[in-house]
Amino acid sequence: MRWEYRLYFPTNQVSQCANAGDVLIIAKRPDNTLLSIVAEAGTTISQQVLWLFGVSDLSHPGFSVRDELETEQDRIEFASRFILESLGIAVEVSEGTYLDEMVEKFSGRFPTTREFSAFARRTLPDIHPKDGHDEVLMAWMEREEILFRTLEKHIIGERLAQGFDGNVNGFISFSLSVQNRRKSRAGLAFENHLEVLFEECGIRYSRTPVTEHKSKPDFIFPGEKEYHDESFDPLCLTMLGVKSSCKDRWRQVLAEADRIEKKHLLTLEAAISKSQTDEMRSKKLQLVLPRGLHNTYSAEQQSWLMDVAAFTSLVLDRQSGHG
């Protein structure tokens, strides 16, 4: 006789969509409940889940057990939170040290993203681009994310304490505003910190200039004026799209800045699938990520990826070569 463990489960939407070869993760939570994740094989989310739980390289093909997580992903909190929240798992982070200062400075309200990004950088006075472009960008983004969640928790808590007096539409509107603020703020914060990094490096640029068909790429180097100057060598132009998370939106970048054949896209998304990065390469789109996120990709993908320091060096070389 042969003994083996089997999983039995009711038929539901998840089990109906699952196929042989898909990724199944069963994780034990601190409260002793189980979290079960099923992800379609070969997709970005399946690669992210495998990296998050430290099973990218299975010791036993098709099956592996981890007693605890002790690999590189534990040190990349921003990427880990992003993946967990995309799965609908809330992650609590806070920095109470600065809460009173933020409440007083911003009068208990959300400031503009530019103001908040500047505040986040000021809380890291010992961090400077000369210490490493990749490292400083991630440090700024990490700090702003934690500070924002801290202020957000306080402001939302006060609003919920006031109640909505049975006003369902008011509650729904408030909930949507919270979600929309989170989505738009992350991308704008990324651009704000990049702008400061470029200025510190002496890089000339235009932010959201207008190009063909009223497109507005995130950054054009050395600037909008040079881009629209037909006599300016297009090989000395550089275009950078900026998306804190890619999903399928990376294709939007392809339609921006027609004069620039090879485009660049900077993101904070970990472990994008090989099929996606292969398509980017075929479309002449170069993916740029902070160096700390490169290890979330396969060895083959890493050989093609560009880090932030390499990108700023490229732009400066083109800038100096054209005076």
Side-chain angles (χ1 to χ4, degrees), residues 277-290:
T277 56
D278 284 347
E279 186 177 356
M280 291 178 188
R281 296 180 72 172
S282 70
K283 302 292 186 183
K284 297 182 179 180
L285 178 65
Q286 175 64 59
L287 191 61
V288 184
L289 296 106

Side-chain angles (χ1 to χ4, degrees), residues 59-241:
S59 55
H60 303 288
F63 179 78
S64 184
V65 176
R66 290 288 188 274
D67 290 332
E68 59 183 52
L69 300 181
E70 53 184 14
T71 50
E72 180 69 21
Q73 72 270 18
D74 292 331
R75 298 194 294 273
I76 309 178
E77 295 182 9
F78 188 96
S80 300
R81 287 198 303 270
F82 171 83
I83 295 170
L84 287 169
E85 291 184 351
S86 70
L87 295 170
I89 302 170
V91 180
E92 290 288 335
V93 293
S94 63
E95 177 51 89
T97 306
Y98 294 96
L99 178 57
D100 291 342
E101 183 179 351
M102 289 190 291
V103 171
E104 180 180 357
K105 181 177 180 62
F106 303 126
S107 302
R109 299 182 180 182
F110 290 112
T112 65
T113 53
R114 189 177 290 275
E115 288 177 305
F116 201 77
S117 294
F119 174 79
R121 289 191 299 271
R122 285 198 297 272
T123 67
L124 294 170
D126 297 328
I127 298 292
H128 191 275
K130 67 182 180 183
D131 300 321
H133 298 175
D134 294 80
E135 293 77 10
V136 74
L137 184 60
M138 284 298 289
W140 284 343
M141 285 298 295
E142 279 274 6
R143 176 54 61 91
E144 176 161 353
E145 180 70 13
I146 293 175
L147 290 177
F148 175 79
R149 292 299 180 91
T150 302
L151 181 61
E152 179 188 56
K153 184 178 181 179
H154 171 78
I155 293 176
I156 291 177
E158 289 202 330
R159 180 65 185 90
L160 292 178
Q162 296 173 12
F164 292 87
D165 286 332
N167 185 350
V168 176
N169 289 333
F171 175 77
I172 293 175
S173 177
F174 175 73
S175 176
L176 289 175
S177 70
V178 170
Q179 296 177 53
N180 292 333
R181 184 183 297 110
R182 283 187 176 184
K183 293 177 182 178
S184 62
R185 184 203 58 81
L188 289 173
F190 200 14
E191 293 178 28
N192 291 339
H193 295 310
L194 277 169
E195 195 169 30
V196 172
L197 177 62
F198 295 148
E199 290 172 356
E200 292 284 346
C201 294
I203 293 175
R204 302 200 307 270
Y205 66 90
S206 290
R207 183 171 173 178
T208 61
V210 178
T211 60
E212 299 85 358
H213 319 298
K214 297 183 179 180
S215 294
K216 292 184 177 181
D218 295 310
F219 290 96
I220 289 285
F221 310 87
E224 184 174 11
K225 178 182 178 182
E226 290 81 0
Y227 182 84
H228 290 291
D229 181 356
E230 292 296 331
S231 65
F232 192 88
D233 186 356
L235 295 178
C236 292
L237 294 169
T238 310
M239 175 264 192
L240 179 68

